[in-house]
Amino acid sequence: MREFKLTSEYVELVKLLKLLRIAQTGGHAKIIVEDGEVLRNGEPEFRKRAKLVKGDVIEVMGEKITIV
């Protein structure tokens, strides 16, 4: 389980994937989301620019990330 500390009100999903180096590029991040590889709080998340807030749990590629 990894934690991502917010420094603003929210972080967009594709930006989070790039910041944590889960995706190598923005295009790669978009493909990961479009392919349904991301779960947000246990539900599939297909919105690339979904605004993640404190308390959200993201699961992608075998990793769990908690937004704090």
Side-chain angles (χ1 to χ4, degrees), residues 1-45:
M1 173 88 69
R2 293 168 74 174
E3 288 188 348
F4 179 80
K5 185 174 173 87
L6 279 180
T7 55
S8 59
E9 186 179 338
Y10 65 87
V11 63
E12 291 181 352
L13 180 55
V14 290
K15 186 172 181 181
L16 175 75
L17 296 177
K18 288 190 301 184
L19 288 171
L20 295 179
R21 296 202 155 97
I22 293 169
Q24 296 142 359
T25 64
H28 183 220
K30 289 176 183 179
I31 290 169
I32 290 170
V33 176
E34 288 170 356
D35 286 350
E37 296 183 41
V38 179
L39 296 179
R40 179 183 186 182
N41 302 324
E43 298 291 326
E45 180 60 79

mmCIF file of all heavy atoms in Angstrom, residues 1-45:
data_model
loop_
_atom_site.group_PDB
_atom_site.id
_atom_site.type_symbol
_atom_site.label_atom_id
_atom_site.label_comp_id
_atom_site.label_asym_id
_atom_site.label_seq_id
_atom_site.Cartn_x
_atom_site.Cartn_y
_atom_site.Cartn_z
ATOM 1 N N MET A 1 0.864 -1.185 0.000
ATOM 2 C CA MET A 1 0.000 0.000 0.000
ATOM 3 C C MET A 1 0.899 1.233 0.000
ATOM 4 O O MET A 1 1.775 1.370 0.827
ATOM 5 C CB MET A 1 -0.892 -0.028 1.236
ATOM 6 C CG MET A 1 -1.707 1.223 1.427
ATOM 7 S SD MET A 1 -3.295 1.297 0.630
ATOM 8 C CE MET A 1 -4.225 0.111 1.517
ATOM 9 N N ARG A 2 0.659 2.092 -0.972
ATOM 10 C CA ARG A 2 1.386 3.361 -1.047
ATOM 11 C C ARG A 2 0.441 4.484 -0.649
ATOM 12 O O ARG A 2 -0.770 4.358 -0.767
ATOM 13 C CB ARG A 2 1.879 3.616 -2.471
ATOM 14 C CG ARG A 2 2.934 2.645 -2.924
ATOM 15 C CD ARG A 2 3.185 2.725 -4.398
ATOM 16 N NE ARG A 2 3.939 3.901 -4.783
ATOM 17 C CZ ARG A 2 4.380 4.124 -6.014
ATOM 18 N NH1 ARG A 2 4.148 3.252 -6.967
ATOM 19 N NH2 ARG A 2 5.048 5.211 -6.305
ATOM 20 N N GLU A 3 1.018 5.576 -0.222
ATOM 21 C CA GLU A 3 0.225 6.770 0.097
ATOM 22 C C GLU A 3 0.691 7.911 -0.787
ATOM 23 O O GLU A 3 1.869 8.049 -1.076
ATOM 24 C CB GLU A 3 0.379 7.163 1.564
ATOM 25 C CG GLU A 3 -0.313 6.223 2.515
ATOM 26 C CD GLU A 3 -0.301 6.733 3.949
ATOM 27 O OE1 GLU A 3 0.434 7.698 4.251
ATOM 28 O OE2 GLU A 3 -1.021 6.153 4.757
ATOM 29 N N PHE A 4 -0.282 8.726 -1.213
ATOM 30 C CA PHE A 4 0.023 9.926 -1.980
ATOM 31 C C PHE A 4 -0.540 11.102 -1.208
ATOM 32 O O PHE A 4 -1.739 11.163 -0.963
ATOM 33 C CB PHE A 4 -0.596 9.865 -3.380
ATOM 34 C CG PHE A 4 -0.312 11.100 -4.193
ATOM 35 C CD1 PHE A 4 0.899 11.255 -4.829
ATOM 36 C CD2 PHE A 4 -1.256 12.108 -4.286
ATOM 37 C CE1 PHE A 4 1.169 12.398 -5.570
ATOM 38 C CE2 PHE A 4 -0.994 13.253 -5.018
ATOM 39 C CZ PHE A 4 0.222 13.399 -5.655
ATOM 40 N N LYS A 5 0.337 12.005 -0.793
ATOM 41 C CA LYS A 5 -0.096 13.156 0.000
ATOM 42 C C LYS A 5 -0.487 14.308 -0.928
ATOM 43 O O LYS A 5 0.323 14.770 -1.730
ATOM 44 C CB LYS A 5 1.024 13.592 0.932
ATOM 45 C CG LYS A 5 0.616 14.697 1.879
ATOM 46 C CD LYS A 5 1.709 14.987 2.882
ATOM 47 C CE LYS A 5 1.390 16.184 3.707
ATOM 48 N NZ LYS A 5 0.617 15.915 4.876
ATOM 49 N N LEU A 6 -1.728 14.732 -0.792
ATOM 50 C CA LEU A 6 -2.222 15.856 -1.597
ATOM 51 C C LEU A 6 -1.617 17.164 -1.110
ATOM 52 O O LEU A 6 -1.490 17.393 0.090
ATOM 53 C CB LEU A 6 -3.746 15.963 -1.477
ATOM 54 C CG LEU A 6 -4.591 15.039 -2.327
ATOM 55 C CD1 LEU A 6 -6.067 15.296 -2.053
ATOM 56 C CD2 LEU A 6 -4.316 15.213 -3.791
ATOM 57 N N THR A 7 -1.272 18.021 -2.055
ATOM 58 C CA THR A 7 -0.805 19.359 -1.699
ATOM 59 C C THR A 7 -1.816 20.398 -2.180
ATOM 60 O O THR A 7 -1.589 21.589 -2.045
ATOM 61 C CB THR A 7 0.580 19.635 -2.322
ATOM 62 O OG1 THR A 7 0.492 19.432 -3.728
ATOM 63 C CG2 THR A 7 1.629 18.708 -1.724
ATOM 64 N N SER A 8 -2.914 19.907 -2.773
ATOM 65 C CA SER A 8 -3.994 20.786 -3.225
ATOM 66 C C SER A 8 -5.312 20.079 -2.924
ATOM 67 O O SER A 8 -5.336 19.029 -2.293
ATOM 68 C CB SER A 8 -3.858 21.082 -4.720
ATOM 69 O OG SER A 8 -3.898 19.890 -5.467
ATOM 70 N N GLU A 9 -6.404 20.622 -3.407
ATOM 71 C CA GLU A 9 -7.731 20.070 -3.131
ATOM 72 C C GLU A 9 -7.917 18.682 -3.731
ATOM 73 O O GLU A 9 -8.598 17.826 -3.163
ATOM 74 C CB GLU A 9 -8.788 21.027 -3.683
ATOM 75 C CG GLU A 9 -10.202 20.649 -3.346
ATOM 76 C CD GLU A 9 -11.209 21.651 -3.906
ATOM 77 O OE1 GLU A 9 -10.836 22.813 -4.188
ATOM 78 O OE2 GLU A 9 -12.368 21.246 -4.060
ATOM 79 N N TYR A 10 -7.330 18.439 -4.909
ATOM 80 C CA TYR A 10 -7.471 17.164 -5.598
ATOM 81 C C TYR A 10 -6.299 16.950 -6.546
ATOM 82 O O TYR A 10 -5.505 17.857 -6.778
ATOM 83 C CB TYR A 10 -8.792 17.105 -6.391
ATOM 84 C CG TYR A 10 -8.868 18.092 -7.523
ATOM 85 C CD1 TYR A 10 -8.377 17.777 -8.786
ATOM 86 C CD2 TYR A 10 -9.393 19.370 -7.337
ATOM 87 C CE1 TYR A 10 -8.419 18.698 -9.828
ATOM 88 C CE2 TYR A 10 -9.447 20.283 -8.367
ATOM 89 C CZ TYR A 10 -8.951 19.940 -9.614
ATOM 90 O OH TYR A 10 -8.988 20.846 -10.647
ATOM 91 N N VAL A 11 -6.205 15.731 -7.091
ATOM 92 C CA VAL A 11 -5.234 15.434 -8.144
ATOM 93 C C VAL A 11 -5.986 14.638 -9.220
ATOM 94 O O VAL A 11 -6.818 13.791 -8.897
ATOM 95 C CB VAL A 11 -4.006 14.662 -7.609
ATOM 96 C CG1 VAL A 11 -4.387 13.306 -7.049
ATOM 97 C CG2 VAL A 11 -2.937 14.524 -8.683
ATOM 98 N N GLU A 12 -5.706 14.944 -10.474
ATOM 99 C CA GLU A 12 -6.345 14.213 -11.567
ATOM 100 C C GLU A 12 -5.708 12.835 -11.702
ATOM 101 O O GLU A 12 -4.508 12.664 -11.486
ATOM 102 C CB GLU A 12 -6.206 14.984 -12.881
ATOM 103 C CG GLU A 12 -7.022 16.251 -12.901
ATOM 104 C CD GLU A 12 -6.903 17.015 -14.209
ATOM 105 O OE1 GLU A 12 -6.069 16.633 -15.057
ATOM 106 O OE2 GLU A 12 -7.657 17.988 -14.381
ATOM 107 N N LEU A 13 -6.526 11.862 -12.073
ATOM 108 C CA LEU A 13 -6.081 10.468 -12.153
ATOM 109 C C LEU A 13 -4.855 10.281 -13.036
ATOM 110 O O LEU A 13 -3.879 9.656 -12.615
ATOM 111 C CB LEU A 13 -7.242 9.584 -12.630
ATOM 112 C CG LEU A 13 -6.957 8.097 -12.781
ATOM 113 C CD1 LEU A 13 -6.407 7.502 -11.500
ATOM 114 C CD2 LEU A 13 -8.214 7.374 -13.218
ATOM 115 N N VAL A 14 -4.866 10.814 -14.251
ATOM 116 C CA VAL A 14 -3.711 10.617 -15.145
ATOM 117 C C VAL A 14 -2.447 11.268 -14.575
ATOM 118 O O VAL A 14 -1.355 10.743 -14.730
ATOM 119 C CB VAL A 14 -3.975 11.103 -16.591
ATOM 120 C CG1 VAL A 14 -4.958 10.197 -17.289
ATOM 121 C CG2 VAL A 14 -4.403 12.527 -16.644
ATOM 122 N N LYS A 15 -2.616 12.388 -13.897
ATOM 123 C CA LYS A 15 -1.462 13.056 -13.282
ATOM 124 C C LYS A 15 -0.879 12.197 -12.160
ATOM 125 O O LYS A 15 0.336 12.066 -12.028
ATOM 126 C CB LYS A 15 -1.869 14.436 -12.755
ATOM 127 C CG LYS A 15 -0.691 15.235 -12.249
ATOM 128 C CD LYS A 15 -1.078 16.651 -11.918
ATOM 129 C CE LYS A 15 0.141 17.414 -11.444
ATOM 130 N NZ LYS A 15 -0.181 18.783 -11.082
ATOM 131 N N LEU A 16 -1.756 11.575 -11.371
ATOM 132 C CA LEU A 16 -1.298 10.695 -10.298
ATOM 133 C C LEU A 16 -0.494 9.529 -10.871
ATOM 134 O O LEU A 16 0.580 9.204 -10.360
ATOM 135 C CB LEU A 16 -2.492 10.161 -9.503
ATOM 136 C CG LEU A 16 -2.132 9.141 -8.421
ATOM 137 C CD1 LEU A 16 -1.507 9.841 -7.228
ATOM 138 C CD2 LEU A 16 -3.350 8.354 -7.993
ATOM 139 N N LEU A 17 -0.992 8.934 -11.929
ATOM 140 C CA LEU A 17 -0.289 7.792 -12.535
ATOM 141 C C LEU A 17 1.088 8.193 -13.046
ATOM 142 O O LEU A 17 2.046 7.426 -12.939
ATOM 143 C CB LEU A 17 -1.128 7.204 -13.672
ATOM 144 C CG LEU A 17 -2.474 6.600 -13.272
ATOM 145 C CD1 LEU A 17 -3.227 6.119 -14.509
ATOM 146 C CD2 LEU A 17 -2.318 5.489 -12.264
ATOM 147 N N LYS A 18 1.200 9.413 -13.574
ATOM 148 C CA LYS A 18 2.508 9.899 -14.038
ATOM 149 C C LYS A 18 3.417 10.227 -12.861
ATOM 150 O O LYS A 18 4.593 9.860 -12.869
ATOM 151 C CB LYS A 18 2.341 11.133 -14.926
ATOM 152 C CG LYS A 18 1.754 10.806 -16.285
ATOM 153 C CD LYS A 18 1.823 11.975 -17.244
ATOM 154 C CE LYS A 18 1.085 13.179 -16.694
ATOM 155 N NZ LYS A 18 1.037 14.311 -17.621
ATOM 156 N N LEU A 19 2.891 10.903 -11.842
ATOM 157 C CA LEU A 19 3.707 11.287 -10.691
ATOM 158 C C LEU A 19 4.290 10.081 -9.959
ATOM 159 O O LEU A 19 5.424 10.116 -9.492
ATOM 160 C CB LEU A 19 2.881 12.130 -9.710
ATOM 161 C CG LEU A 19 2.549 13.548 -10.148
ATOM 162 C CD1 LEU A 19 1.552 14.183 -9.175
ATOM 163 C CD2 LEU A 19 3.812 14.394 -10.227
ATOM 164 N N LEU A 20 3.509 9.016 -9.866
ATOM 165 C CA LEU A 20 3.965 7.815 -9.168
ATOM 166 C C LEU A 20 4.738 6.864 -10.077
ATOM 167 O O LEU A 20 5.131 5.783 -9.672
ATOM 168 C CB LEU A 20 2.772 7.086 -8.540
ATOM 169 C CG LEU A 20 2.060 7.851 -7.427
ATOM 170 C CD1 LEU A 20 0.874 7.054 -6.903
ATOM 171 C CD2 LEU A 20 3.021 8.189 -6.294
ATOM 172 N N ARG A 21 4.932 7.281 -11.323
ATOM 173 C CA ARG A 21 5.679 6.512 -12.328
ATOM 174 C C ARG A 21 5.055 5.150 -12.609
ATOM 175 O O ARG A 21 5.754 4.196 -12.935
ATOM 176 C CB ARG A 21 7.134 6.373 -11.914
ATOM 177 C CG ARG A 21 7.819 7.714 -11.867
ATOM 178 C CD ARG A 21 9.297 7.595 -11.984
ATOM 179 N NE ARG A 21 9.848 8.816 -12.522
ATOM 180 C CZ ARG A 21 10.375 9.798 -11.797
ATOM 181 N NH1 ARG A 21 10.438 9.711 -10.608
ATOM 182 N NH2 ARG A 21 10.864 10.882 -12.315
ATOM 183 N N ILE A 22 3.741 5.075 -12.474
ATOM 184 C CA ILE A 22 3.012 3.882 -12.896
ATOM 185 C C ILE A 22 2.891 3.925 -14.415
ATOM 186 O O ILE A 22 2.975 2.904 -15.080
ATOM 187 C CB ILE A 22 1.638 3.816 -12.199
ATOM 188 C CG1 ILE A 22 1.855 3.595 -10.699
ATOM 189 C CG2 ILE A 22 0.758 2.730 -12.796
ATOM 190 C CD1 ILE A 22 0.628 3.765 -9.846
ATOM 191 N N ALA A 23 2.697 5.125 -14.938
ATOM 192 C CA ALA A 23 2.659 5.347 -16.385
ATOM 193 C C ALA A 23 3.908 6.128 -16.774
ATOM 194 O O ALA A 23 4.333 7.028 -16.059
ATOM 195 C CB ALA A 23 1.411 6.133 -16.764
ATOM 196 N N GLN A 24 4.463 5.774 -17.921
ATOM 197 C CA GLN A 24 5.678 6.451 -18.371
ATOM 198 C C GLN A 24 5.399 7.811 -18.987
ATOM 199 O O GLN A 24 6.220 8.714 -18.902
ATOM 200 C CB GLN A 24 6.407 5.557 -19.373
ATOM 201 C CG GLN A 24 6.888 4.278 -18.743
ATOM 202 C CD GLN A 24 6.763 3.072 -19.663
ATOM 203 O OE1 GLN A 24 6.287 3.174 -20.785
ATOM 204 N NE2 GLN A 24 7.169 1.928 -19.168
ATOM 205 N N THR A 25 4.211 7.945 -19.613
ATOM 206 C CA THR A 25 3.842 9.206 -20.259
ATOM 207 C C THR A 25 2.361 9.475 -20.019
ATOM 208 O O THR A 25 1.630 8.601 -19.541
ATOM 209 C CB THR A 25 4.068 9.138 -21.785
ATOM 210 O OG1 THR A 25 3.181 8.149 -22.328
ATOM 211 C CG2 THR A 25 5.499 8.793 -22.138
ATOM 212 N N GLY A 26 1.928 10.654 -20.406
ATOM 213 C CA GLY A 26 0.509 10.985 -20.303
ATOM 214 C C GLY A 26 -0.335 10.088 -21.195
ATOM 215 O O GLY A 26 -1.419 9.658 -20.809
ATOM 216 N N GLY A 27 0.177 9.775 -22.378
ATOM 217 C CA GLY A 27 -0.531 8.885 -23.292
ATOM 218 C C GLY A 27 -0.673 7.486 -22.708
ATOM 219 O O GLY A 27 -1.722 6.851 -22.822
ATOM 220 N N HIS A 28 0.383 7.021 -22.077
ATOM 221 C CA HIS A 28 0.348 5.704 -21.439
ATOM 222 C C HIS A 28 -0.672 5.704 -20.294
ATOM 223 O O HIS A 28 -1.434 4.747 -20.136
ATOM 224 C CB HIS A 28 1.744 5.340 -20.931
ATOM 225 C CG HIS A 28 1.848 3.984 -20.327
ATOM 226 N ND1 HIS A 28 2.585 3.735 -19.203
ATOM 227 C CD2 HIS A 28 1.281 2.793 -20.674
ATOM 228 C CE1 HIS A 28 2.481 2.453 -18.893
ATOM 229 N NE2 HIS A 28 1.699 1.863 -19.777
ATOM 230 N N ALA A 29 -0.709 6.783 -19.518
ATOM 231 C CA ALA A 29 -1.668 6.894 -18.419
ATOM 232 C C ALA A 29 -3.101 6.829 -18.939
ATOM 233 O O ALA A 29 -3.962 6.146 -18.366
ATOM 234 C CB ALA A 29 -1.440 8.198 -17.650
ATOM 235 N N LYS A 30 -3.365 7.512 -20.040
ATOM 236 C CA LYS A 30 -4.708 7.507 -20.623
ATOM 237 C C LYS A 30 -5.110 6.111 -21.078
ATOM 238 O O LYS A 30 -6.248 5.690 -20.888
ATOM 239 C CB LYS A 30 -4.782 8.500 -21.784
ATOM 240 C CG LYS A 30 -4.734 9.943 -21.325
ATOM 241 C CD LYS A 30 -4.716 10.900 -22.496
ATOM 242 C CE LYS A 30 -4.590 12.336 -22.002
ATOM 243 N NZ LYS A 30 -4.539 13.297 -23.101
ATOM 244 N N ILE A 31 -4.179 5.380 -21.663
ATOM 245 C CA ILE A 31 -4.462 4.016 -22.122
ATOM 246 C C ILE A 31 -4.788 3.113 -20.935
ATOM 247 O O ILE A 31 -5.725 2.308 -20.993
ATOM 248 C CB ILE A 31 -3.277 3.462 -22.934
ATOM 249 C CG1 ILE A 31 -3.180 4.197 -24.267
ATOM 250 C CG2 ILE A 31 -3.418 1.953 -23.150
ATOM 251 C CD1 ILE A 31 -1.906 3.920 -25.037
ATOM 252 N N ILE A 32 -4.036 3.247 -19.849
ATOM 253 C CA ILE A 32 -4.281 2.444 -18.648
ATOM 254 C C ILE A 32 -5.716 2.669 -18.157
ATOM 255 O O ILE A 32 -6.429 1.717 -17.843
ATOM 256 C CB ILE A 32 -3.266 2.790 -17.535
ATOM 257 C CG1 ILE A 32 -1.866 2.298 -17.918
ATOM 258 C CG2 ILE A 32 -3.691 2.192 -16.193
ATOM 259 C CD1 ILE A 32 -0.762 2.792 -17.015
ATOM 260 N N VAL A 33 -6.142 3.921 -18.131
ATOM 261 C CA VAL A 33 -7.492 4.255 -17.665
ATOM 262 C C VAL A 33 -8.536 3.745 -18.653
ATOM 263 O O VAL A 33 -9.516 3.102 -18.257
ATOM 264 C CB VAL A 33 -7.635 5.775 -17.430
ATOM 265 C CG1 VAL A 33 -9.055 6.125 -17.036
ATOM 266 C CG2 VAL A 33 -6.654 6.243 -16.351
ATOM 267 N N GLU A 34 -8.332 4.002 -19.933
ATOM 268 C CA GLU A 34 -9.294 3.583 -20.962
ATOM 269 C C GLU A 34 -9.480 2.071 -20.998
ATOM 270 O O GLU A 34 -10.568 1.578 -21.287
ATOM 271 C CB GLU A 34 -8.843 4.068 -22.342
ATOM 272 C CG GLU A 34 -8.986 5.553 -22.533
ATOM 273 C CD GLU A 34 -8.327 6.064 -23.809
ATOM 274 O OE1 GLU A 34 -7.683 5.265 -24.530
ATOM 275 O OE2 GLU A 34 -8.450 7.267 -24.073
ATOM 276 N N ASP A 35 -8.415 1.332 -20.697
ATOM 277 C CA ASP A 35 -8.475 -0.130 -20.723
ATOM 278 C C ASP A 35 -9.135 -0.722 -19.474
ATOM 279 O O ASP A 35 -9.206 -1.938 -19.338
ATOM 280 C CB ASP A 35 -7.075 -0.722 -20.900
ATOM 281 C CG ASP A 35 -6.534 -0.554 -22.320
ATOM 282 O OD1 ASP A 35 -7.312 -0.159 -23.215
ATOM 283 O OD2 ASP A 35 -5.337 -0.816 -22.529
ATOM 284 N N GLY A 36 -9.572 0.137 -18.553
ATOM 285 C CA GLY A 36 -10.268 -0.336 -17.358
ATOM 286 C C GLY A 36 -9.361 -0.959 -16.315
ATOM 287 O O GLY A 36 -9.811 -1.768 -15.498
ATOM 288 N N GLU A 37 -8.098 -0.576 -16.314
ATOM 289 C CA GLU A 37 -7.140 -1.153 -15.377
ATOM 290 C C GLU A 37 -7.112 -0.432 -14.025
ATOM 291 O O GLU A 37 -6.342 -0.809 -13.151
ATOM 292 C CB GLU A 37 -5.738 -1.152 -15.987
ATOM 293 C CG GLU A 37 -5.633 -2.040 -17.215
ATOM 294 C CD GLU A 37 -4.223 -2.099 -17.767
ATOM 295 O OE1 GLU A 37 -3.272 -2.176 -16.969
ATOM 296 O OE2 GLU A 37 -4.087 -2.053 -18.999
ATOM 297 N N VAL A 38 -7.946 0.601 -13.857
ATOM 298 C CA VAL A 38 -7.934 1.389 -12.629
ATOM 299 C C VAL A 38 -9.251 1.212 -11.875
ATOM 300 O O VAL A 38 -10.328 1.346 -12.438
ATOM 301 C CB VAL A 38 -7.725 2.891 -12.934
ATOM 302 C CG1 VAL A 38 -7.747 3.705 -11.649
ATOM 303 C CG2 VAL A 38 -6.423 3.116 -13.683
ATOM 304 N N LEU A 39 -9.125 0.899 -10.581
ATOM 305 C CA LEU A 39 -10.286 0.865 -9.695
ATOM 306 C C LEU A 39 -10.172 2.032 -8.722
ATOM 307 O O LEU A 39 -9.096 2.293 -8.176
ATOM 308 C CB LEU A 39 -10.343 -0.439 -8.895
ATOM 309 C CG LEU A 39 -10.525 -1.733 -9.671
ATOM 310 C CD1 LEU A 39 -10.526 -2.914 -8.706
ATOM 311 C CD2 LEU A 39 -11.798 -1.710 -10.484
ATOM 312 N N ARG A 40 -11.276 2.724 -8.530
ATOM 313 C CA ARG A 40 -11.335 3.813 -7.555
ATOM 314 C C ARG A 40 -12.361 3.406 -6.513
ATOM 315 O O ARG A 40 -13.531 3.236 -6.818
ATOM 316 C CB ARG A 40 -11.768 5.110 -8.230
ATOM 317 C CG ARG A 40 -11.886 6.283 -7.284
ATOM 318 C CD ARG A 40 -12.395 7.490 -8.041
ATOM 319 N NE ARG A 40 -12.405 8.686 -7.225
ATOM 320 C CZ ARG A 40 -12.849 9.854 -7.644
ATOM 321 N NH1 ARG A 40 -13.317 9.979 -8.879
ATOM 322 N NH2 ARG A 40 -12.835 10.889 -6.853
ATOM 323 N N ASN A 41 -11.909 3.218 -5.286
ATOM 324 C CA ASN A 41 -12.769 2.774 -4.192
ATOM 325 C C ASN A 41 -13.534 1.507 -4.575
ATOM 326 O O ASN A 41 -14.709 1.354 -4.283
ATOM 327 C CB ASN A 41 -13.733 3.890 -3.775
ATOM 328 C CG ASN A 41 -12.986 5.139 -3.345
ATOM 329 O OD1 ASN A 41 -11.930 5.060 -2.736
ATOM 330 N ND2 ASN A 41 -13.507 6.297 -3.691
ATOM 331 N N GLY A 42 -12.835 0.588 -5.282
ATOM 332 C CA GLY A 42 -13.413 -0.695 -5.631
ATOM 333 C C GLY A 42 -14.244 -0.721 -6.902
ATOM 334 O O GLY A 42 -14.713 -1.773 -7.318
ATOM 335 N N GLU A 43 -14.446 0.425 -7.550
ATOM 336 C CA GLU A 43 -15.249 0.516 -8.770
ATOM 337 C C GLU A 43 -14.364 0.937 -9.945
ATOM 338 O O GLU A 43 -13.475 1.770 -9.783
ATOM 339 C CB GLU A 43 -16.364 1.562 -8.603
ATOM 340 C CG GLU A 43 -17.370 1.234 -7.504
ATOM 341 C CD GLU A 43 -18.231 0.037 -7.839
ATOM 342 O OE1 GLU A 43 -18.561 -0.155 -9.030
ATOM 343 O OE2 GLU A 43 -18.554 -0.722 -6.916
ATOM 344 N N PRO A 44 -14.612 0.387 -11.137
ATOM 345 C CA PRO A 44 -13.821 0.803 -12.302
ATOM 346 C C PRO A 44 -13.944 2.309 -12.553
ATOM 347 O O PRO A 44 -15.023 2.873 -12.425
ATOM 348 C CB PRO A 44 -14.459 0.028 -13.466
ATOM 349 C CG PRO A 44 -15.176 -1.105 -12.828
ATOM 350 C CD PRO A 44 -15.611 -0.624 -11.478
ATOM 351 N N GLU A 45 -12.825 2.936 -12.851
ATOM 352 C CA GLU A 45 -12.804 4.382 -13.131
ATOM 353 C C GLU A 45 -12.285 4.588 -14.546
ATOM 354 O O GLU A 45 -11.150 4.232 -14.844
ATOM 355 C CB GLU A 45 -11.913 5.111 -12.126
ATOM 356 C CG GLU A 45 -11.822 6.604 -12.333
ATOM 357 C CD GLU A 45 -13.171 7.303 -12.242
ATOM 358 O OE1 GLU A 45 -13.651 7.524 -11.124
ATOM 359 O OE2 GLU A 45 -13.737 7.614 -13.318
#
